[in-house]
């Protein structure tokens, strides 16, 4: 069975967790709990996650390269080190005009009701 979390109290280099794979989006979970999760995602150039919505806010930070993140049809261009919060229930698309890596953090607590 594949381990879904990283070893706690052990240092790792976030941008080295996963590689770019041609024509792919690769997702690796760092932490997965009932109250939320943290994942690292790599996008090869030209790849995207289109037309997504989540019932929870999602914090996205670009850790390598540049990303285009559309939230409710408004384009946001993010570079390494920049971050954005995708609001709960917002229609969003994440595009790789060039390859990039990002951290995605979803916190589920506090959303028992629709805001």
């Amino acid at each position: 069975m594949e381990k879904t979390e990283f070893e706690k109290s052990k240092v790792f280099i976030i941008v080295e967790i996963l590689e770019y794979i041609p024509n792919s989006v690769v997702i690796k979970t760092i932490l997965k709990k009932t109250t939320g999760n943290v994942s690292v995602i790599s996008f090869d150039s030209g790849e995207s996650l289109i037309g997504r919505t989540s019932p929870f806010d999602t914090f996205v930070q670009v850790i390598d390269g540049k990303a285009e993140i559309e939230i409710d049809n408004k384009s946001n261009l993010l570079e390494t080190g920049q971050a954005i919060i995708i609001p709960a229930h917002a229609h969003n698309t994440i595009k790789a005009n060039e390859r990039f890596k990002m951290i995605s953090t979803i916190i589920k607590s506090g959303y028992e009701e629709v805001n």
Side-chain angles (χ1 to χ4, degrees):
M1 181 174 208
E2 187 176 320
K3 194 164 95 173
T4 59
E5 288 188 21
F6 280 68
E7 186 177 340
K8 294 176 182 171
S9 301
K10 184 175 180 184
V11 175
F12 56 90
I13 300 172
I14 196 78
V15 296
E16 294 179 359
I17 288 175
L18 72 168
E19 297 299 320
Y20 292 106
I21 297 180
N23 306 310
S24 299
V25 175
V26 181
I27 302 171
K28 187 152 194 143
T29 301
I30 297 172
L31 287 169
K32 185 174 182 74
K33 305 291 181 192
T34 57
T35 55
N37 60 59
V38 178
S39 300
V40 179
I41 307 169
S42 71
F43 290 74
D44 193 26
S45 182
E47 297 299 314
S48 60
L49 297 175
I50 297 174
R52 300 168 49 100
T53 59
S54 171
F56 312 109
D57 290 340
T58 303
F59 173 79
V60 172
Q61 180 182 14
V62 175
I63 58 172
D64 185 46
K66 297 178 183 177
E68 180 180 359
I69 300 177
E70 284 184 12
I71 302 172
D72 290 332
N73 297 316
K74 181 180 181 244
S75 180
N76 301 277
L77 300 175
L78 281 73
E79 298 182 8
T80 300
Q82 293 182 313
I84 194 165
I85 297 171
I86 301 171
H89 308 290
H91 182 68
N92 65 87
T93 298
I94 301 173
K95 298 179 186 177
N97 298 325
E98 61 183 70
R99 68 185 197 169
F100 76 94
K101 293 178 184 178
M102 69 181 212
I103 299 171
S104 172
T105 304
I106 299 172
I107 305 298
K108 296 179 181 178
S109 61
Y111 284 96
E112 290 75 23
E113 302 170 16
V114 176
N115 295 340

